[in-house]
Amino acid sequence: MRADFDRVYSPPEPPEPSRWRPRGWQVALISFFLAAGVVFFAFPLLWSDAPEEGAMPTLTAEHEDATEPSPELSPQPADPSPPEEPGETAAPSPTAPGTAGEGPLTELPKKICDSVSEATFRKWVAVDDPQEHGGSRAGSCGYTSGDGNDSRYLRLETRLADGNNDLDPVSTAKWSFNQDYELQKSDKITKTLLLERVTGLGEEAFRRVFTDNGVENVVTARIEARVQNVIVTVSYSRGFEKKPQEEQAKSLQGAREVAEEALRSYT
């Protein structure tokens, strides 16, 4: 009997697999390929998220909330309804010819002699009939009486000023009034006793008292006043015996009374 058959049979063990250990150069090469792969796949994703040059960045919700205008400041839509038409206003009525105190006059409201009562004229000149000249835009009314030291002469003149070049009628009247005043100042033919501007007659006025070397023993008071484009002038002469101052006060009083009454037609 064979002894070697008495041993228990055990199958042969499979050979132990060999363990591979990478070397240093192999580890470096593998790491390089892994890094290159990561860069290759990740770079397109990073590039697609970056904004292109010149492109506007996309606002996030936080940005949108920050830049959205508040409701109070939001512009309101325009009212589609048309604006209401303004009510019709009555056109100003033109100044009637001869209406006083409402603008330049285009004609005198009445005849010159009718602008002062006959009683007022005759208070200062006792006799004689008036001499009236002129028309609807200018004229004069004169009374004469007596002779010698008792001679008296009272004349009322009225004229309207028109527009001249760039001046309106009122400005023309102002210019004409000032020219008259300057002429009275520079008058060398007569002797001036009094020349001054006065108030209380129209919009502006002056008065002058003078004697004429060519007319003996006569003193004249002249009052000129302006209202709008109307110029009223009153001249009242009285004879005196020795000195003109004897009749100066009465000459001024008569001229002023006639001027005041005449101006009432234009104020």
Side-chain angles (χ1 to χ4, degrees), residues 34-102:
L34 289 176
V38 170
V39 171
F40 179 80
F41 288 103
F43 183 77
L45 297 177
L46 295 174
W47 180 259
S48 62
D49 292 339
E52 296 181 2
E53 183 179 359
M56 296 296 293
T58 303
L59 295 177
T60 62
E62 179 182 358
H63 290 157
E64 291 177 353
D65 293 340
T67 57
E68 183 178 0
S70 60
E72 293 81 1
L73 301 178
S74 301
Q76 298 297 326
D79 188 1
S81 60
E84 296 182 1
E85 297 182 357
E88 296 182 359
T89 57
S93 57
T95 302
T99 301
E102 297 182 0

Side-chain angles (χ1 to χ4, degrees), residues 6-7 23 29 40 45 74 85 92 109 112 120-121 126 145 177-178 188 193 195 197 200 205 211 225 227 232 235 264:
D6 293 334
R7 294 180 303 175
R23 299 181 180 182
L29 183 63
F40 179 80
L45 297 177
S74 301
E85 297 182 357
I112 304 301
T120 300
F121 279 120
S145 69
F177 175 86
N178 290 326
K188 303 300 183 182
L193 304 178
L195 176 60
R197 291 182 180 266
T211 58
V227 175
V232 172
S235 300
R264 295 191 189 106

Side-chain angles (χ1 to χ4, degrees), residues 151-171:
S151 62
R152 300 177 188 180
Y153 178 67
L154 179 58
R155 182 178 66 189
L156 167 64
E157 301 173 83
T158 305
R159 68 183 189 270
L160 300 181
D162 294 326
N164 183 14
N165 295 329
D166 295 334
L167 298 179
D168 57 85
V170 175
S171 298

Side-chain angles (χ1 to χ4, degrees), residues 77-180:
D79 188 1
S81 60
E84 296 182 1
E85 297 182 357
E88 296 182 359
T89 57
S93 57
T95 302
T99 301
E102 297 182 0
L105 301 183
T106 57
E107 63 180 42
L108 299 174
K110 59 183 66 177
K111 293 182 179 181
I112 304 301
C113 286
D114 293 340
S115 61
V116 177
S117 67
E118 186 174 356
T120 300
F121 279 120
R122 293 195 179 276
K123 174 181 177 180
W124 301 102
V125 178
V127 294
D128 202 359
D129 293 330
Q131 297 179 352
E132 187 171 18
H133 303 282
S136 62
R137 299 190 59 79
S140 66
C141 179
Y143 284 78
T144 304
S145 69
D147 56 12
N149 294 338
D150 194 32
S151 62
R152 300 177 188 180
Y153 178 67
L154 179 58
R155 182 178 66 189
L156 167 64
E157 301 173 83
T158 305
R159 68 183 189 270
L160 300 181
D162 294 326
N164 183 14
N165 295 329
D166 295 334
L167 298 179
D168 57 85
V170 175
S171 298
T172 303
K174 292 179 179 179
W175 177 87
S176 181
F177 175 86
N178 290 326
Q179 289 296 307
D180 290 345

Side-chain angles (χ1 to χ4, degrees), residues 207-226:
R207 66 180 184 174
R208 182 191 180 212
V209 178
F210 60 91
T211 58
D212 191 338
N213 295 331
V215 180
E216 295 182 0
N217 300 333
V218 174
V219 61
T220 301
R222 177 186 177 97
I223 291 181
E224 183 167 321
R226 182 193 64 81

